[in-house]
């Protein structure tokens, strides 16, 4: 079994993948290294043979996690790294190492699935968009605050904005103008994300007409899916790219 990790700024997304059956044995999202180790130890019949990960965290944080995994499970850990070119995709950043590894892997996965031009939209702590042409050229992308950042900024800087996650979830049952603060904030932020999506679609059409594939990924992708019904929702897009960057054959 292969342990795959996507270590973001706020959470660690993990899954234990069975390469023989080509299915996920188990998966989850945790907020710390300790919670990850505890979640894995609690799995019955777990037999890890290999591990691969992508991390956008500081090198020291990533190194501590790798050490903890080696100590707990005795596995060799392969970490994805930046590249100027891989699997037919050419990194479009002027300084290729400055492109976030999660974005890079999502692009690899998207280009593989699309076999042509694609727009990759990822909604996590930040919301990102990346444009990959049919010949694999990365044309660049955009980054803006995602739902967690927008929500937290409003909570931090506005004293009267206080509500819990349950209230936030209930507020998003519809998108009519809010009649409470939680409704106004949650629905307003959601509409901002949808507006971001629509501008990316407009730009993609200026490049490729209608001949491109749209991928939605990330924890909040479902918030914008109604705005782009033609899109493919691929929650594990980064893991697809991770397998390409760290084949473990």
């Amino acid at each position: 079994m292969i342990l795959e990790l996507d270590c973001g700024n706020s959470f660690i997304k993990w899954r234990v993948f069975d390469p023989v059956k080509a299915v996920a044995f188990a998966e989850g999202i945790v907020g710390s290294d300790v919670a990850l180790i505890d979640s894995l130890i609690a799995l019955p019949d777990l037999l890890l043979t290999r591990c691969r990960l992508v991390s956008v965290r500081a090198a020291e944080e990533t190194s501590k996690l790798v050490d903890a995994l080696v100590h707990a499970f005795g596995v060799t850990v392969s970490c994805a790294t930046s590249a100027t070119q891989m699997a037919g995709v050419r990194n479009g950043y002027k300084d290729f190492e400055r492109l976030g590894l999660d974005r890079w892997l999502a692009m690899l996965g998207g280009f593989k699935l699309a076999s042509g031009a694609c727009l990759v939209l990822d909604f996590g702590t930040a919301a990102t968009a990346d444009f990959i042409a049919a010949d694999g050229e990365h044309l660049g992308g955009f980054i803006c605050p995602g739902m967690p950042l927008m929500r937290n900024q409003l909570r931090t800087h506005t004293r009267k904005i206080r509500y819990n996650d349950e209230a936030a979830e209930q507020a998003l049952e519809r998108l009519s103008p809010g009649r409470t603060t939680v409704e106004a904030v949650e629905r307003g932020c959601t509409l901002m994300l949808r507006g971001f999506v629509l501008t990316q679609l407009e730009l993609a059409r200026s490049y490729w007409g209608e001949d491109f594939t749209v991928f939605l990924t990330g924890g909040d992708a479902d918030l914008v899916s109604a705005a782009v019904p033609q899109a493919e929702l691929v929650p594990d897009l980064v893991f697809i790219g991770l397998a390409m960057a760290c084949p473990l054959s």
Side-chain angles (χ1 to χ4, degrees), residues 167-243:
E169 184 176 345
Q170 292 175 350
L172 289 173
E173 292 176 354
R174 60 182 61 85
L175 287 178
S176 55
R179 302 187 69 176
T180 64
T181 298
V182 60
E183 290 177 353
V185 170
E186 292 295 315
R187 296 173 188 179
C189 291
T190 298
L191 290 176
M192 287 190 71
L193 286 183
R194 292 191 177 190
F196 174 76
V197 169
L198 295 177
T199 60
Q200 306 316 303
L201 290 174
E202 183 179 351
L203 182 55
R205 291 189 181 105
S206 74
Y207 288 144
W208 308 308
E210 297 296 331
D211 190 18
F212 65 96
T213 305
V214 183
F215 294 104
L216 300 179
T217 192
D220 287 324
D222 58 324
L223 295 179
V224 302
S225 58
V228 53
Q230 74 272 33
E232 296 186 26
L233 182 60
V234 187
D236 293 331
L237 193 58
V238 169
F239 285 147
I240 294 174
L242 179 60

Side-chain angles (χ1 to χ4, degrees), residues 131-155:
F131 299 77
I132 304 93
D135 64 357
E137 183 70 26
H138 174 221
L139 304 181
F142 298 96
I143 304 173
C144 73
M147 194 70 170
L149 285 178
M150 288 192 287
R151 179 189 294 127
N152 290 340
Q153 282 296 302
L154 285 168
R155 285 176 171 176

